[in-house]
Amino acid sequence: MFSVEVSATPGSVNVQTTEGRGMNSEEIAANAVAKIISISDTADPIIKAQAEAFRERMYWVIVAACDQSIKSDRTTLFNLFKTNGHDDMAEILRTL
Amino acid sequence: MAIDQAMCTSFKQEILQGIHNFTSGSGGGTTTTTGSGNTFKIALYTSSASLGAGTTAYTTSNEVSGTGYTAAGNTLTNVTPTTSSTTALTDFADTTWSSSTITARGALIYNSSTTAGTANRAVVVLDFGADKTSTSGDFTIQFPAAGASTAIIRIA
């Protein structure tokens, strides 16, 4: 008799919620980094140190990219409001 | 009433029947689809829901309602299945209900492309461990890293 046993197990999700605001660049970057790289607790210490340094560097690169993206989107919205005659809304966005 | 995290038993059977296709890309799908991937969704549920390994399809019973949430939940962006060592796995992009005011205890991922026989066949039930609440904010589900021991859906 032969049999092949497979197991199918769901992973665990992380739920993040905010109150009265959206997620900021740091929170989004932390999520992105967690998706890109995971480091085993049992990894070789030297490799682990390199991976952690890489993860730290990636985190700040993504934070900067998120900040740039937010600013760029605000510029687009600023012009959209301005074009449609909502100068007050455009000014609020500009000063954020 | 309880939400128990589990890979739905019907889903395991349906994998062997070739019903689900997690390939990334647009395309419809039926129970006999091949090629292009199916559409998967995630619906949120309150602590009053009864969900677990025996769940076979999406249900509106005790589904979350609130600002920023539409019945049937969010469409997920799936990542084409891959392998890591001897484990096969697939993943989804994180999903967010923006500007929402909702409270949820768990979720159901289901295949909204399945129509023949049973519509909206269940894939996996997720238990958040406690009620999670967003108030005029973001409600984000962050999926785990797509690793052999961490991915949201993996067959070892």
Side-chain angles (χ1 to χ4, degrees):
Chain A
M1 293 277 284
F2 293 96
S3 68
V4 177
E5 190 173 319
V6 297
S7 63
T9 316
S12 295
V13 297
N14 179 31
V15 179
Q16 294 168 314
T17 60
T18 59
E19 194 173 328
R21 64 175 179 85
M23 292 173 74
N24 58 33
S25 298
E26 287 78 10
E27 290 164 336
I28 290 169
N31 287 353
V33 166
K35 290 283 283 188
I36 294 167
I37 183 170
S38 61
I39 305 168
S40 170
D41 288 338
T42 56
D44 180 275
I46 295 171
I47 294 172
K48 197 173 175 181
Q50 285 179 330
E52 283 169 353
F54 177 63
R55 180 163 65 182
E56 176 77 4
R57 178 70 189 135
M58 272 202 305
Y59 170 78
W60 289 111
V61 167
I62 295 170
V63 167
C66 287
D67 286 343
Q68 187 72 37
S69 177
I70 290 167
K71 283 180 186 172
S72 186
D73 191 53
R74 280 182 188 159
T75 301
T76 302
L77 290 173
F78 170 84
N79 283 287
L80 189 65
F81 283 128
K82 199 94 172 164
T83 308
N84 287 282
H86 301 292
D87 288 15
D88 52 340
M89 295 291 288
E91 191 56 23
I92 290 171
L93 266 180
R94 194 190 62 75
T95 55
L96 277 178
Chain B
M1 302 293 179
I3 295 177
D4 298 316
Q5 179 149 321
M7 198 77 81
C8 298
T9 306
S10 58
F11 170 68
K12 295 175 187 172
Q13 178 188 9
E14 289 156 9
I15 290 174
L16 299 177
Q17 294 172 325
I19 288 174
H20 301 275
N21 186 343
F22 289 85
T23 302
S24 178
S26 61
T30 65
T31 56
T32 57
T33 188
T34 55
S36 55
N38 295 155
T39 298
F40 293 86
K41 289 189 163 190
I42 184 166
L44 299 177
Y45 290 88
T46 69
S47 56
S48 299
S50 288
L51 300 170
T55 301
T56 58
Y58 160 73
T59 173
T60 56
S61 178
N62 294 301
E63 187 176 5
V64 159
S65 64
T67 304
Y69 184 86
T70 304
N74 278 0
T75 298
L76 291 168
T77 302
N78 34 320
V79 176
T80 296
T82 185
T83 58
S84 176
S85 186
T86 57
T87 299
L89 58 96
T90 192
D91 187 23
F92 298 106
D94 296 352
T95 189
T96 298
W97 286 267
S98 301
S99 305
S100 63
T101 299
I102 48 180
T103 297
R105 168 62 199 249
L108 174 70
I109 296 175
Y110 64 96
N111 186 341
S112 67
S113 293
T114 52
T115 52
T118 304
N120 298 321
R121 295 173 188 245
V123 174
V124 60
V125 172
L126 302 171
D127 176 15
F128 300 157
D131 277 348
K132 302 289 183 181
T133 301
S134 64
T135 308
S136 299
D138 288 345
F139 190 107
T140 298
I141 294 183
Q142 181 196 10
F143 288 98
S149 59
T150 55
I152 185 69
I153 296 174
R154 55 188 192 274
I155 299 173

